[in-house]
């Protein structure tokens, strides 16, 4: 097995990355600034990966102005043509999938298949956007007046701000950017400062494709801290919409700021996703679904399964079988074959893991397996943990970005649903059952209160074709598939009179002669 340094060198060379990279791009790359840079180390073993310089307020402004300028022509380019540009970008990313996935793995510690999956998600949404270019529909209504036409049209908003999180450092940007660009917007991206390198790699690949295919410079990248660049974006009237993925706390702050200037937001905030396992579940399917949801990305997905509610009749059997899976699941270098659980993103994440378990035990929880920090100097590794919990424990209502799974027991569907919904967050949910009535209960108004509901599959790992997002503290936003594109446009109701008089609506008379 090659060292992380060797893998880094090879991948950097093939992608044209340097040790010191500018993290600011708007049609051209700003010069690397050693005074303002982020040092990137791999959470796999602490290997130094390189540096990425961040945007100054002035560079930020330049990037916004450039995106405003590009918007004028881009918004007038026919949508089917725009969507072909996105197709070319998706094709180009496909060619570099392996390399880009590796950068994601190196920087945020995803196991190989998940790093590759992340890039696949970009390609998928790119092809979704390709079709969308010919499906931007509005409705035509019957007018109450003679010789009148009443319909709605969708018009691009302008420059869209995207603030993405470390855990999906490229795909969540593409959910927003590829859809927004297809409908005619330009996009300014501020990635997480924990995933600066991935953003540079993605933008380098896209830049090459844009030059080759003569695609105008509709994407800008402004690396920087949330406190600086994020704040500038929140206050900036030039950004009619900001799509934000991250914590509830930051999301609320951002939403308030943007709302105070009457701007729009798409929020994808915390999740506290739960799976219900019925006594009528297919045990194999349920075990795999819950284990994947809880262990994938080391529990650092918004969609990670954090709670499981198991029917009392199969509770002990399920717990023991799941414990077995956990104890066999290998934790370690995510680029090695057979590793299921990679590292945590940083030392803070390890501390949060420790604190949450300590609180859970303090509040009456019992550790079934796990509760061990494996390494926190050369990389950040923890043992995935299962905790038997009781309904009402405060810690189980909070989102801890770590592989910690709380287990509950239930006897009736009413009871299961009560536990399930009694958390502030509402992103993803799952029910494992082969009983049609239970399934429909789960999907009814009395059932899951989340934006995503899964039957016999995991809370994590959504496809791009559906609208992605959640309710309550998750923020209510929707991104990616279905009709999420509407959020990147403004709806205009058009009334057209082609008659020789002006009849008024509601029969109102207006006599001036
Ligand atoms: C996230 O964690 O912010 O559904 C996004 C999933 C992925 C996306 C997660 N397709 O798990």
């Amino acid at each position: 097995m090659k060292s992380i340094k060797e893998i880094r060198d090879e991948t950097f060379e093939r992608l044209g990355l340097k040790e010191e990279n500018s993290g600011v791009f708007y049609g051209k790359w700003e010069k690397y600034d050693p005074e303002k840079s982020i040092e990137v180390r791999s959470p796999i073993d602490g290997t130094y990966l390189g540096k990425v310089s961040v945007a100054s307020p002035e560079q930020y402004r330049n990037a916004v102005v450039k995106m405003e300028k590009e918007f004028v022509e881009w918004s007038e380019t026919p949508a089917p043509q725009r969507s072909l540009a996105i197709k070319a970008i998706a094709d180009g990313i496909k060619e570099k999938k392996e390399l880009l996935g590796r950068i994601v793995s190196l920087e945020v510690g995803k196991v190989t298949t998940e790093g590759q999956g992340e890039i696949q998600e970009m390609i998928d949404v790119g092809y979704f956007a390709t079709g969308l270019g010919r499906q931007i529909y509005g409705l035509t209504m019957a007018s109450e007046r003679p010789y009148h036409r009443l319909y709605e049209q969708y018009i691009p908003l302008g420059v869209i701000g995207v603030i993405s999180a470390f855990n999906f450092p490229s795909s969540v940007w593409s959910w927003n950017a590829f859809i927004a660009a297809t409908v005619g917007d330009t996009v300014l991206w501020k990635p997480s400062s924990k995933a600066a390198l991935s953003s540079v790699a993605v933008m380098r690949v896209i830049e090459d494709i844009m030059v080759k295919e003569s695609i105008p410079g509709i994407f800008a990248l402004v690396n920087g801290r949330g406190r600086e660049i994020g704040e500038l974006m929140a206050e900036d009237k030039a950004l009619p919409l900001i799509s934000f993925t991250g914590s509830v706390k930051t999301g609320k702050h951002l939403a308030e700021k943007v709302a105070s200037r009457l701007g729009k937001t798409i929020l994808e905030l915390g999740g506290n996703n739960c799976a219900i396992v019925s006594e009528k579940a297919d045990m194999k399917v349920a075990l795999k679904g819950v284990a994947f949801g809880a262990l994938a990305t080391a529990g650092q997905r918004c969609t990670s399964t954090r709670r499981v509610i198991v029917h009392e009749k199969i509770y002990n059997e399920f717990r023991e079988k799941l414990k077995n899976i956990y104890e066999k699941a290998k934790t370690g270098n995510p680029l090695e074959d057979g590793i299921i659980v990679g590292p945590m993103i940083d030392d803070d994440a390890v501390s949060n893991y420790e604190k949450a378990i300590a609180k859970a035990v303090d509040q009456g929880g019992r550790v079934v397996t796990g509760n061990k920090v494996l390494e926190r100097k050369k990389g950040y590794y923890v043992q995935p943990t299962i905790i038997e919990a009781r309904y009402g424990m405060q810690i189980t209502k909070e989102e801890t970005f770590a592989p910690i799974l709380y287990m509950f027991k239930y006897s009736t569907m009413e009871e299961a649903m009560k536990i399930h919904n009694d958390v502030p967050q509402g992103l993803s949910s799952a029910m494992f059952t082969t009983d049609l009535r239970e399934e429909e209960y789960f999907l009814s108004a009395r059932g899951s209160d989340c934006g995503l509901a899964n039957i016999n599959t995991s809370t994590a790992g959504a496809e791009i074709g559906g609208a992605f997002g959640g309710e309550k503290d998750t923020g209510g936003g929707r991104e990616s598939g279905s009709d999420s594109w509407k959020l990147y446009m403004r709806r205009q109701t058009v009334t057209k009179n082609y008659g020789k008089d002006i009849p008024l609506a509601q029969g109102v008379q207006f006599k001036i002669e």
Side-chain angles (χ1 to χ4, degrees):
M1 176 82 198
K2 288 183 194 153
S3 71
I4 298 301
K5 170 91 173 50
E6 283 167 330
I7 297 172
R8 165 222 189 249
D9 288 350
E10 188 200 315
T11 318
F12 270 38
E13 203 197 310
R14 289 175 57 197
L15 281 172
L17 292 171
K18 294 184 235 71
E19 187 189 321
E20 294 175 336
N21 301 282
S22 166
V24 186
F25 173 83
Y26 45 95
K28 63 174 178 34
W29 290 92
E30 278 288 349
K31 258 183 49 206
Y32 171 77
D33 179 359
E35 299 296 309
K36 280 187 115 247
S37 72
I38 299 172
E39 187 182 271
V40 186
R41 288 189 176 274
S42 176
I44 300 174
D45 64 358
T47 297
Y48 167 71
L49 296 177
K51 286 190 180 140
V52 174
S53 64
V54 302
S56 65
E58 196 196 333
Q59 290 170 347
Y60 164 79
R61 184 103 304 275
N62 294 342
V64 172
V65 169
K66 166 78 173 160
M67 287 305 99
E68 283 179 317
K69 232 171 108 200
E70 291 291 343
F71 175 73
V72 178
E73 249 184 65
W74 184 248
S75 59
E76 282 173 2
T77 306
Q81 216 171 304
R82 289 191 301 245
S83 71
L84 286 179
I86 301 302
K87 180 181 182 297
I89 290 173
D91 287 339
I93 290 174
K94 198 170 174 184
E95 277 173 33
K96 297 279 162 64
K97 176 179 165 183
E98 217 264 311
L99 295 169
L100 286 173
R102 240 194 269 163
I103 293 285
V104 168
S105 289
L106 287 172
E107 186 174 37
V108 305
K110 292 196 183 200
V111 294
T112 299
T113 177
E114 289 186 41
Q116 296 300 313
E118 162 122 22
I119 309 305
Q120 186 58 46
E121 199 159 337
M122 298 183 82
I123 301 164
D124 291 344
V125 80
Y127 292 153
F128 177 91
T130 310
L132 173 66
R134 288 189 186 267
Q135 297 177 75
I136 300 170
Y137 305 133
L139 295 174
T140 302
M141 282 69 72
S143 171
E144 68 189 46
R145 289 171 276 182
Y147 306 112
H148 272 62
R149 195 163 302 292
L150 183 61
Y151 65 93
E152 58 193 20
Q153 61 165 345
Y154 285 86
I155 297 178
L157 279 176
V159 186
I160 308 300
V162 178
I163 303 179
S164 59
F166 81 85
N167 63 336
F168 278 81
S170 58
S171 67
V172 172
W173 168 74
S174 68
W175 289 357
N176 289 282
F178 293 171
I179 303 290
T182 298
V183 303
D185 299 314
T186 55
V187 183
L188 180 100
W189 178 19
K190 191 206 90 61
S192 159
S193 40
K194 294 178 187 175
L197 194 62
S198 300
S199 72
V200 172
V202 164
M203 205 46 90
R204 283 228 170 264
V205 168
I206 291 182
E207 182 196 12
D208 284 351
I209 305 162
M210 286 176 141
V211 170
K212 211 171 91 197
E213 302 284 334
S214 309
I215 298 167
I218 52 171
F219 296 137
L221 174 67
V222 283
N223 268 284
R225 309 256 168 219
R227 282 192 308 276
E228 292 163 12
I229 302 298
E231 288 296 309
L232 288 176
M233 290 171 78
E235 286 162 10
D236 198 341
K237 277 197 168 229
L239 307 178
L241 167 72
I242 295 189
S243 176
F244 172 81
T245 305
S247 71
V248 175
K249 190 166 164 253
T250 311
K252 275 188 183 162
H253 167 75
L254 181 103
E256 275 171 24
K257 279 210 136 171
V258 177
S260 74
R261 61 169 169 89
L262 298 177
K264 299 178 206 278
T265 46
I266 295 177
L267 301 173
E268 201 243 288
L269 313 178
N272 191 349
N273 319 296
C274 183
I276 299 173
V277 182
S278 153
E279 93 233 59
K280 292 169 200 148
D282 178 322
M283 185 59 98
K284 206 174 113 220
V285 170
L287 282 165
K288 194 164 172 181
V290 171
F292 172 75
L295 297 176
T297 327
Q300 300 172 105
R301 290 194 192 205
C302 296
T303 52
S304 292
T305 307
R306 312 214 175 276
R307 300 175 295 136
V308 60
I309 312 172
V310 186
H311 193 272
E312 58 187 1
K313 279 199 189 136
I314 55 155
Y315 181 87
N316 287 350
E317 181 194 354
F318 187 85
R319 181 192 59 213
E320 291 314 303
K321 287 190 167 149
L322 192 65
K323 176 173 185 248
N324 202 287
I325 294 173
Y326 265 58
E327 288 171 2
K328 277 200 195 132
K330 283 198 194 139
T331 300
N333 180 345
L335 294 171
E336 262 173 41
D337 280 350
I339 295 294
I340 301 274
V341 185
M344 308 290 293
I345 188 69
D346 56 18
D347 195 62
D348 283 350
V350 176
S351 297
N352 291 339
Y353 163 90
E354 289 180 307
K355 279 185 218 153
I357 297 174
K359 273 190 197 161
V361 170
D362 196 49
Q363 291 167 17
R366 185 187 80 83
V367 175
V368 175
T369 184
N371 187 19
K372 194 167 172 203
V373 174
L374 301 170
E375 174 66 60
R376 71 189 307 169
K377 286 206 177 74
K378 291 183 126 200
Y380 309 101
Y381 296 91
V382 302
Q383 230 170 42
T385 301
I386 303 174
I387 295 177
E388 284 188 304
R390 274 200 308 272
Y391 174 50
M393 276 168 52
Q394 182 51 36
I395 189 69
T396 67
K397 301 191 179 194
E398 294 167 20
E399 178 192 49
T400 305
F401 239 47
I404 302 172
L405 180 68
Y406 302 111
M407 262 190 101
F408 301 84
K409 199 184 278 183
Y410 81 93
S411 56
T412 63
M413 258 318 266
E414 286 73 15
E415 193 191 346
M417 270 343 305
K418 191 169 155 208
I419 303 172
H420 182 282
N421 287 344
D422 191 10
V423 293
Q425 310 83 351
L427 179 55
S428 188
S429 58
M431 168 107 216
F432 291 88
T433 183
T434 53
D435 183 311
L436 180 64
R437 290 188 184 139
E438 283 184 348
E439 183 189 307
E440 288 295 334
Y441 186 121
F442 183 73
L443 298 173
S444 74
R446 289 180 302 158
S448 164
D449 61 3
C450 294
L452 310 171
N454 299 283
I455 302 294
N456 295 325
T457 192
S458 180
T459 62
E463 298 179 21
I464 60 93
F468 183 97
E471 304 301 329
K472 304 197 291 187
D473 273 7
T474 303
R478 290 298 184 275
E479 295 165 314
S480 188
S482 184
D483 65 352
S484 307
W485 60 268
K486 288 183 177 166
L487 300 173
Y488 303 85
M489 307 194 83
R490 58 191 165 86
R491 186 201 320 235
Q492 189 169 62
T493 302
V494 181
T495 308
K496 235 188 238 181
N497 173 13
Y498 58 95
K500 291 184 177 155
D501 196 0
I502 305 189
L504 300 174
Q506 296 88 41
V508 172
Q509 298 298 315
F510 184 70
K511 295 201 169 99
I512 50 170
E513 68 275 8

